[in-house]
Amino acid sequence: QVQLVESGGALVQPGGSLRLSCAASGFTLDVYAIGWFRQAPGKERERLSCIDGKYVTTYFLDSVKGRFTISRDNAKNTVYLQMNSLKPEDTAVYYCAKGRSYYCGGSGSYDYWGRGTQVTVSS
């Protein structure tokens, strides 16, 4: 059974850092792309980043480039999102998702999702 479980979300002050984890099971992690997304209340889901089977990474939002870093440890079946210099506008539920293929595709190319982890940036 495919399962993705996010963890690491917390309340953090502006300028702080968090490292989110996405623990994967039920499939061979190194064969599939994994993406990170976020959704704030009342807003549409945003695609943040993707890492493919060749460890090629892609970042989609100018507001997070240079602050967020996606990485993958296949031996631990885990994908990470390191978030630095956090801002209040980063407050959202963060999700990881399994891609349908080896490469990162469009926003509709994900078939399994985690339940999300809450990140709140506030003083």
Side-chain angles (χ1 to χ4, degrees):
Q1 182 69 37
V2 172
Q3 187 174 27
L4 301 167
V5 180
E6 303 93 336
S7 63
L11 172 65
V12 63
Q13 294 185 349
S17 298
L18 287 173
R19 188 193 193 194
L20 305 184
S21 297
C22 173
S25 62
F27 65 98
T28 304
L29 183 63
D30 62 357
V31 178
Y32 295 94
I34 300 293
W36 279 101
F37 300 76
R38 71 184 183 188
Q39 187 168 23
K43 296 184 178 180
E44 294 186 348
R45 182 194 297 157
E46 296 179 304
R47 189 183 185 193
L48 298 175
S49 184
C50 181
I51 184 166
D52 72 13
K54 294 184 178 180
Y55 297 88
V56 176
T57 60
T58 306
Y59 300 89
F60 299 95
L61 295 182
D62 289 340
S63 62
V64 307
K65 291 178 180 178
R67 298 191 297 122
F68 290 12
T69 303
I70 189 171
S71 62
R72 185 176 70 189
D73 187 336
N74 292 335
K76 296 181 179 179
N77 295 316
T78 302
V79 175
Y80 303 97
L81 185 68
Q82 178 67 45
M83 306 188 297
N84 299 324
S85 301
L86 285 163
K87 305 174 181 179
E89 51 264 43
D90 294 319
T91 297
V93 177
Y94 285 70
Y95 301 89
C96 63
K98 171 186 171 291
R100 295 181 183 274
S101 71
Y102 186 83
Y103 301 101
C104 292
S107 60
S109 60
Y110 299 86
D111 54 4
Y112 291 92
W113 297 76
R115 295 164 65 183
T117 185
Q118 176 70 49
V119 173
T120 302
V121 184
S122 176
S123 59

